[in-house]
mmCIF file of all heavy atoms in Angstrom:
data_model
loop_
_atom_site.group_PDB
_atom_site.id
_atom_site.type_symbol
_atom_site.label_atom_id
_atom_site.label_comp_id
_atom_site.label_asym_id
_atom_site.label_seq_id
_atom_site.Cartn_x
_atom_site.Cartn_y
_atom_site.Cartn_z
ATOM 1 N N ASP J 1 -34.543 41.288 49.986
ATOM 2 C CA ASP J 1 -35.121 42.355 50.801
ATOM 3 C C ASP J 1 -36.153 41.852 51.808
ATOM 4 O O ASP J 1 -36.794 42.643 52.507
ATOM 5 C CB ASP J 1 -35.763 43.417 49.896
ATOM 6 C CG ASP J 1 -34.722 44.114 49.031
ATOM 7 O OD1 ASP J 1 -33.575 44.243 49.487
ATOM 8 O OD2 ASP J 1 -35.055 44.513 47.898
ATOM 9 N N LYS J 2 -36.307 40.530 51.870
ATOM 10 C CA LYS J 2 -37.266 39.956 52.819
ATOM 11 C C LYS J 2 -36.521 39.355 54.013
ATOM 12 O O LYS J 2 -35.301 39.313 54.047
ATOM 13 C CB LYS J 2 -38.116 38.892 52.116
ATOM 14 C CG LYS J 2 -38.959 39.489 50.983
ATOM 15 C CD LYS J 2 -39.804 38.433 50.306
ATOM 16 C CE LYS J 2 -40.641 39.055 49.181
ATOM 17 N NZ LYS J 2 -41.466 38.051 48.490
ATOM 18 N N ASP J 3 -37.264 38.867 54.978
ATOM 19 C CA ASP J 3 -36.652 38.370 56.216
ATOM 20 C C ASP J 3 -35.853 37.089 56.013
ATOM 21 O O ASP J 3 -34.845 36.873 56.672
ATOM 22 C CB ASP J 3 -37.748 38.125 57.270
ATOM 23 C CG ASP J 3 -38.361 39.430 57.739
ATOM 24 O OD1 ASP J 3 -37.691 40.472 57.618
ATOM 25 O OD2 ASP J 3 -39.513 39.403 58.217
ATOM 26 N N ALA J 4 -36.332 36.216 55.133
ATOM 27 C CA ALA J 4 -35.664 34.915 54.951
ATOM 28 C C ALA J 4 -35.218 34.747 53.501
ATOM 29 O O ALA J 4 -36.022 34.854 52.574
ATOM 30 C CB ALA J 4 -36.602 33.782 55.342
ATOM 31 N N ILE J 5 -33.935 34.474 53.304
ATOM 32 C CA ILE J 5 -33.410 34.247 51.956
ATOM 33 C C ILE J 5 -33.880 32.895 51.440
ATOM 34 O O ILE J 5 -34.060 31.941 52.205
ATOM 35 C CB ILE J 5 -31.866 34.330 51.952
ATOM 36 C CG1 ILE J 5 -31.346 34.383 50.510
ATOM 37 C CG2 ILE J 5 -31.245 33.159 52.715
ATOM 38 C CD1 ILE J 5 -29.871 34.765 50.425
ATOM 39 N N LYS J 6 -34.118 32.805 50.152
ATOM 40 C CA LYS J 6 -34.537 31.527 49.561
ATOM 41 C C LYS J 6 -33.574 31.147 48.446
ATOM 42 O O LYS J 6 -33.138 32.006 47.667
ATOM 43 C CB LYS J 6 -35.970 31.624 49.027
ATOM 44 C CG LYS J 6 -36.182 32.713 47.978
ATOM 45 C CD LYS J 6 -37.623 32.757 47.501
ATOM 46 C CE LYS J 6 -37.823 33.848 46.445
ATOM 47 N NZ LYS J 6 -39.206 33.905 45.949
ATOM 48 N N HIS J 7 -33.248 29.859 48.371
ATOM 49 C CA HIS J 7 -32.341 29.359 47.340
ATOM 50 C C HIS J 7 -33.144 28.500 46.356
ATOM 51 O O HIS J 7 -33.261 27.284 46.524
ATOM 52 C CB HIS J 7 -31.206 28.549 47.967
ATOM 53 C CG HIS J 7 -30.265 29.365 48.790
ATOM 54 N ND1 HIS J 7 -30.510 29.668 50.106
ATOM 55 C CD2 HIS J 7 -29.087 29.964 48.467
ATOM 56 C CE1 HIS J 7 -29.513 30.406 50.575
ATOM 57 N NE2 HIS J 7 -28.640 30.603 49.607
ATOM 58 N N SER J 8 -33.696 29.136 45.365
ATOM 59 C CA SER J 8 -34.484 28.422 44.352
ATOM 60 C C SER J 8 -33.705 28.393 43.044
ATOM 61 O O SER J 8 -33.097 29.384 42.650
ATOM 62 C CB SER J 8 -35.834 29.099 44.145
ATOM 63 O OG SER J 8 -35.657 30.443 43.765
ATOM 64 N N THR J 9 -33.705 27.249 42.391
ATOM 65 C CA THR J 9 -32.940 27.092 41.151
ATOM 66 C C THR J 9 -33.848 26.654 40.001
ATOM 67 O O THR J 9 -34.980 26.220 40.215
ATOM 68 C CB THR J 9 -31.823 26.052 41.335
ATOM 69 O OG1 THR J 9 -32.410 24.767 41.629
ATOM 70 C CG2 THR J 9 -30.893 26.429 42.486
ATOM 71 N N GLY J 10 -33.315 26.778 38.797
ATOM 72 C CA GLY J 10 -34.028 26.289 37.623
ATOM 73 C C GLY J 10 -34.909 27.303 36.940
ATOM 74 O O GLY J 10 -35.587 26.974 35.963
ATOM 75 N N LYS J 11 -34.920 28.560 37.439
ATOM 76 C CA LYS J 11 -35.723 29.590 36.785
ATOM 77 C C LYS J 11 -34.908 30.342 35.732
ATOM 78 O O LYS J 11 -35.388 30.618 34.635
ATOM 79 C CB LYS J 11 -36.264 30.571 37.831
ATOM 80 C CG LYS J 11 -37.279 29.962 38.787
ATOM 81 C CD LYS J 11 -37.762 30.975 39.809
ATOM 82 C CE LYS J 11 -38.769 30.363 40.771
ATOM 83 N NZ LYS J 11 -39.208 31.333 41.803
ATOM 84 N N ASN J 12 -33.693 30.691 36.077
ATOM 85 C CA ASN J 12 -32.827 31.443 35.153
ATOM 86 C C ASN J 12 -31.987 30.524 34.273
ATOM 87 O O ASN J 12 -31.683 30.863 33.130
ATOM 88 C CB ASN J 12 -31.914 32.382 35.939
ATOM 89 C CG ASN J 12 -32.701 33.408 36.731
ATOM 90 O OD1 ASN J 12 -33.767 33.847 36.291
ATOM 91 N ND2 ASN J 12 -32.197 33.784 37.892
ATOM 92 N N ILE J 13 -31.594 29.378 34.808
ATOM 93 C CA ILE J 13 -30.832 28.396 34.038
ATOM 94 C C ILE J 13 -31.104 27.012 34.609
ATOM 95 O O ILE J 13 -31.054 26.805 35.821
ATOM 96 C CB ILE J 13 -29.308 28.700 34.065
ATOM 97 C CG1 ILE J 13 -28.536 27.683 33.215
ATOM 98 C CG2 ILE J 13 -28.773 28.778 35.486
ATOM 99 C CD1 ILE J 13 -27.068 28.034 33.020
ATOM 100 N N LYS J 14 -31.450 26.071 33.731
ATOM 101 C CA LYS J 14 -31.687 24.678 34.144
ATOM 102 C C LYS J 14 -30.446 23.862 33.821
ATOM 103 O O LYS J 14 -30.026 23.793 32.665
ATOM 104 C CB LYS J 14 -32.904 24.099 33.415
ATOM 105 C CG LYS J 14 -34.251 24.570 33.950
ATOM 106 C CD LYS J 14 -35.384 23.908 33.171
ATOM 107 C CE LYS J 14 -36.739 24.274 33.740
ATOM 108 N NZ LYS J 14 -37.025 23.630 35.018
ATOM 109 N N LEU J 15 -29.881 23.238 34.848
ATOM 110 C CA LEU J 15 -28.658 22.459 34.670
ATOM 111 C C LEU J 15 -28.846 20.989 35.004
ATOM 112 O O LEU J 15 -28.312 20.111 34.316
ATOM 113 C CB LEU J 15 -27.538 23.049 35.528
ATOM 114 C CG LEU J 15 -27.061 24.445 35.118
ATOM 115 C CD1 LEU J 15 -26.233 25.076 36.228
ATOM 116 C CD2 LEU J 15 -26.255 24.377 33.827
ATOM 117 N N LEU J 16 -29.593 20.691 36.058
ATOM 118 C CA LEU J 16 -29.813 19.320 36.513
ATOM 119 C C LEU J 16 -31.285 19.141 36.896
ATOM 120 O O LEU J 16 -31.957 20.118 37.241
ATOM 121 C CB LEU J 16 -28.918 19.008 37.722
ATOM 122 C CG LEU J 16 -27.400 18.966 37.462
ATOM 123 C CD1 LEU J 16 -26.639 18.872 38.784
ATOM 124 C CD2 LEU J 16 -27.009 17.808 36.549
ATOM 125 N N PRO J 17 -31.788 17.898 36.883
ATOM 126 C CA PRO J 17 -33.224 17.678 37.119
ATOM 127 C C PRO J 17 -33.602 17.471 38.588
ATOM 128 O O PRO J 17 -34.697 17.009 38.879
ATOM 129 C CB PRO J 17 -33.480 16.383 36.324
ATOM 130 C CG PRO J 17 -32.213 15.610 36.482
ATOM 131 C CD PRO J 17 -31.104 16.651 36.481
ATOM 132 N N TYR J 18 -32.702 17.802 39.503
ATOM 133 C CA TYR J 18 -32.900 17.443 40.908
ATOM 134 C C TYR J 18 -33.589 18.540 41.716
ATOM 135 O O TYR J 18 -33.592 19.707 41.333
ATOM 136 C CB TYR J 18 -31.552 17.090 41.552
ATOM 137 C CG TYR J 18 -30.743 16.118 40.738
ATOM 138 C CD1 TYR J 18 -29.397 16.353 40.463
ATOM 139 C CD2 TYR J 18 -31.330 14.971 40.203
ATOM 140 C CE1 TYR J 18 -28.657 15.463 39.702
ATOM 141 C CE2 TYR J 18 -30.596 14.083 39.443
ATOM 142 C CZ TYR J 18 -29.260 14.333 39.184
ATOM 143 O OH TYR J 18 -28.524 13.459 38.420
ATOM 144 N N THR J 19 -34.138 18.126 42.855
ATOM 145 C CA THR J 19 -34.731 19.044 43.819
ATOM 146 C C THR J 19 -34.107 18.761 45.190
ATOM 147 O O THR J 19 -33.338 17.807 45.349
ATOM 148 C CB THR J 19 -36.257 18.843 43.934
ATOM 149 O OG1 THR J 19 -36.518 17.584 44.583
ATOM 150 C CG2 THR J 19 -36.914 18.857 42.567
ATOM 151 N N THR J 20 -34.461 19.577 46.162
ATOM 152 C CA THR J 20 -33.961 19.369 47.528
ATOM 153 C C THR J 20 -34.950 18.551 48.354
ATOM 154 O O THR J 20 -34.845 18.476 49.574
ATOM 155 C CB THR J 20 -33.726 20.719 48.226
ATOM 156 O OG1 THR J 20 -34.951 21.458 48.227
ATOM 157 C CG2 THR J 20 -32.655 21.525 47.497
ATOM 158 N N LYS J 21 -35.907 17.921 47.692
ATOM 159 C CA LYS J 21 -36.983 17.205 48.385
ATOM 160 C C LYS J 21 -36.798 15.691 48.367
ATOM 161 O O LYS J 21 -37.765 14.937 48.518
ATOM 162 C CB LYS J 21 -38.337 17.552 47.745
ATOM 163 C CG LYS J 21 -38.642 19.044 47.660
ATOM 164 C CD LYS J 21 -38.800 19.678 49.027
ATOM 165 C CE LYS J 21 -39.213 21.139 48.909
ATOM 166 N NZ LYS J 21 -39.302 21.799 50.229
ATOM 167 N N TYR J 22 -35.580 15.216 48.206
ATOM 168 C CA TYR J 22 -35.376 13.765 48.140
ATOM 169 C C TYR J 22 -35.738 13.099 49.467
ATOM 170 O O TYR J 22 -35.348 13.564 50.538
ATOM 171 C CB TYR J 22 -33.924 13.419 47.787
ATOM 172 C CG TYR J 22 -33.694 11.916 47.774
ATOM 173 C CD1 TYR J 22 -34.036 11.159 46.665
ATOM 174 C CD2 TYR J 22 -33.188 11.254 48.895
ATOM 175 C CE1 TYR J 22 -33.875 9.789 46.651
ATOM 176 C CE2 TYR J 22 -33.015 9.881 48.890
ATOM 177 C CZ TYR J 22 -33.361 9.148 47.770
ATOM 178 O OH TYR J 22 -33.214 7.783 47.776
ATOM 179 N N GLU J 23 -36.471 11.986 49.359
ATOM 180 C CA GLU J 23 -36.793 11.149 50.516
ATOM 181 C C GLU J 23 -36.583 9.692 50.130
ATOM 182 O O GLU J 23 -36.494 9.356 48.944
ATOM 183 C CB GLU J 23 -38.246 11.376 50.941
ATOM 184 C CG GLU J 23 -38.548 12.793 51.406
ATOM 185 C CD GLU J 23 -40.016 12.979 51.757
ATOM 186 O OE1 GLU J 23 -40.686 11.970 52.045
ATOM 187 O OE2 GLU J 23 -40.488 14.126 51.725
ATOM 188 N N LYS J 24 -36.524 8.821 51.113
ATOM 189 C CA LYS J 24 -36.267 7.397 50.863
ATOM 190 C C LYS J 24 -37.296 6.781 49.929
ATOM 191 O O LYS J 24 -36.990 5.865 49.164
ATOM 192 C CB LYS J 24 -36.219 6.626 52.182
ATOM 193 C CG LYS J 24 -34.954 6.880 53.000
ATOM 194 C CD LYS J 24 -34.925 5.992 54.241
ATOM 195 C CE LYS J 24 -33.626 6.224 55.020
ATOM 196 N NZ LYS J 24 -33.560 5.385 56.247
ATOM 197 N N LYS J 25 -38.521 7.289 49.982
ATOM 198 C CA LYS J 25 -39.586 6.741 49.138
ATOM 199 C C LYS J 25 -39.301 6.947 47.650
ATOM 200 O O LYS J 25 -39.857 6.235 46.802
ATOM 201 C CB LYS J 25 -40.930 7.371 49.503
ATOM 202 C CG LYS J 25 -41.020 8.867 49.196
ATOM 203 C CD LYS J 25 -42.383 9.425 49.582
ATOM 204 C CE LYS J 25 -42.475 10.914 49.239
ATOM 205 N NZ LYS J 25 -43.795 11.487 49.616
ATOM 206 N N HIS J 26 -38.442 7.904 47.330
ATOM 207 C CA HIS J 26 -38.137 8.182 45.923
ATOM 208 C C HIS J 26 -37.207 7.134 45.313
ATOM 209 O O HIS J 26 -37.041 7.093 44.091
ATOM 210 C CB HIS J 26 -37.498 9.571 45.779
ATOM 211 C CG HIS J 26 -38.454 10.678 46.076
ATOM 212 N ND1 HIS J 26 -38.231 11.635 47.048
ATOM 213 C CD2 HIS J 26 -39.668 10.985 45.537
ATOM 214 C CE1 HIS J 26 -39.245 12.476 47.081
ATOM 215 N NE2 HIS J 26 -40.123 12.106 46.178
ATOM 216 N N LYS J 27 -36.603 6.317 46.147
ATOM 217 C CA LYS J 27 -35.692 5.281 45.641
ATOM 218 C C LYS J 27 -36.406 4.352 44.671
ATOM 219 O O LYS J 27 -35.828 3.897 43.680
ATOM 220 C CB LYS J 27 -35.105 4.482 46.813
ATOM 221 C CG LYS J 27 -34.079 3.446 46.390
ATOM 222 C CD LYS J 27 -33.484 2.735 47.606
ATOM 223 C CE LYS J 27 -32.490 1.661 47.178
ATOM 224 N NZ LYS J 27 -31.894 0.970 48.354
ATOM 225 N N ASP J 28 -37.675 4.084 44.942
ATOM 226 C CA ASP J 28 -38.463 3.200 44.071
ATOM 227 C C ASP J 28 -38.594 3.799 42.677
ATOM 228 O O ASP J 28 -38.526 3.082 41.670
ATOM 229 C CB ASP J 28 -39.845 2.973 44.688
ATOM 230 C CG ASP J 28 -40.691 2.022 43.863
ATOM 231 O OD1 ASP J 28 -40.249 0.887 43.648
ATOM 232 O OD2 ASP J 28 -41.796 2.414 43.425
ATOM 233 N N GLN J 29 -38.778 5.113 42.588
ATOM 234 C CA GLN J 29 -38.873 5.771 41.280
ATOM 235 C C GLN J 29 -37.537 5.729 40.554
ATOM 236 O O GLN J 29 -37.482 5.517 39.333
ATOM 237 C CB GLN J 29 -39.322 7.223 41.460
ATOM 238 C CG GLN J 29 -40.741 7.363 41.988
ATOM 239 C CD GLN J 29 -41.173 8.807 42.128
ATOM 240 O OE1 GLN J 29 -40.623 9.695 41.477
ATOM 241 N NE2 GLN J 29 -42.153 9.066 42.973
ATOM 242 N N ILE J 30 -36.446 5.940 41.281
ATOM 243 C CA ILE J 30 -35.111 5.904 40.673
ATOM 244 C C ILE J 30 -34.812 4.517 40.117
ATOM 245 O O ILE J 30 -34.196 4.365 39.062
ATOM 246 C CB ILE J 30 -34.046 6.319 41.712
ATOM 247 C CG1 ILE J 30 -34.242 7.777 42.117
ATOM 248 C CG2 ILE J 30 -32.634 6.119 41.168
ATOM 249 C CD1 ILE J 30 -33.389 8.226 43.280
ATOM 250 N N GLU J 31 -35.286 3.507 40.841
ATOM 251 C CA GLU J 31 -35.045 2.126 40.425
ATOM 252 C C GLU J 31 -35.774 1.778 39.135
ATOM 253 O O GLU J 31 -35.292 0.983 38.323
ATOM 254 C CB GLU J 31 -35.496 1.179 41.551
ATOM 255 C CG GLU J 31 -34.938 -0.213 41.455
ATOM 256 C CD GLU J 31 -35.141 -1.003 42.732
ATOM 257 O OE1 GLU J 31 -35.766 -0.489 43.673
ATOM 258 O OE2 GLU J 31 -34.672 -2.157 42.791
ATOM 259 N N LYS J 32 -36.922 2.399 38.910
ATOM 260 C CA LYS J 32 -37.739 2.087 37.730
ATOM 261 C C LYS J 32 -37.317 2.972 36.556
ATOM 262 O O LYS J 32 -38.077 3.818 36.074
ATOM 263 C CB LYS J 32 -39.211 2.265 38.055
ATOM 264 C CG LYS J 32 -39.712 1.239 39.067
ATOM 265 C CD LYS J 32 -41.158 1.471 39.456
ATOM 266 C CE LYS J 32 -41.625 0.420 40.449
ATOM 267 N NZ LYS J 32 -43.010 0.671 40.926
ATOM 268 N N PHE J 33 -36.107 2.737 36.072
ATOM 269 C CA PHE J 33 -35.558 3.564 34.990
ATOM 270 C C PHE J 33 -36.305 3.356 33.682
ATOM 271 O O PHE J 33 -36.264 4.210 32.799
ATOM 272 C CB PHE J 33 -34.074 3.250 34.811
ATOM 273 C CG PHE J 33 -33.342 4.240 33.946
ATOM 274 C CD1 PHE J 33 -32.968 5.469 34.448
ATOM 275 C CD2 PHE J 33 -33.042 3.940 32.621
ATOM 276 C CE1 PHE J 33 -32.296 6.397 33.651
ATOM 277 C CE2 PHE J 33 -32.369 4.854 31.818
ATOM 278 C CZ PHE J 33 -32.004 6.091 32.339
ATOM 279 N N ASN J 34 -37.004 2.221 33.553
ATOM 280 C CA ASN J 34 -37.768 1.991 32.320
ATOM 281 C C ASN J 34 -38.858 3.054 32.137
ATOM 282 O O ASN J 34 -39.266 3.356 31.015
ATOM 283 C CB ASN J 34 -38.375 0.579 32.316
ATOM 284 C CG ASN J 34 -39.385 0.370 33.434
ATOM 285 O OD1 ASN J 34 -39.207 0.868 34.551
ATOM 286 N ND2 ASN J 34 -40.424 -0.383 33.157
ATOM 287 N N HIS J 35 -39.316 3.655 33.245
ATOM 288 C CA HIS J 35 -40.272 4.762 33.130
ATOM 289 C C HIS J 35 -39.646 5.937 32.390
ATOM 290 O O HIS J 35 -40.298 6.606 31.583
ATOM 291 C CB HIS J 35 -40.710 5.218 34.525
ATOM 292 C CG HIS J 35 -41.600 4.243 35.226
ATOM 293 N ND1 HIS J 35 -42.113 4.459 36.490
ATOM 294 C CD2 HIS J 35 -42.074 3.025 34.840
ATOM 295 C CE1 HIS J 35 -42.862 3.422 36.845
ATOM 296 N NE2 HIS J 35 -42.848 2.546 35.864
ATOM 297 N N CYS J 36 -38.375 6.183 32.678
ATOM 298 C CA CYS J 36 -37.641 7.252 31.997
ATOM 299 C C CYS J 36 -37.501 6.939 30.508
ATOM 300 O O CYS J 36 -37.633 7.831 29.661
ATOM 301 C CB CYS J 36 -36.261 7.427 32.647
ATOM 302 S SG CYS J 36 -35.200 8.637 31.852
#
């Protein structure tokens, strides 16, 4: 009912751990799997 539709996920059902905010700088975190 607002002017701009929003596509937000993970509130009603969580399926994957991803966001739409990926940037090249995140590659370093992905590489450090030992943190996980």
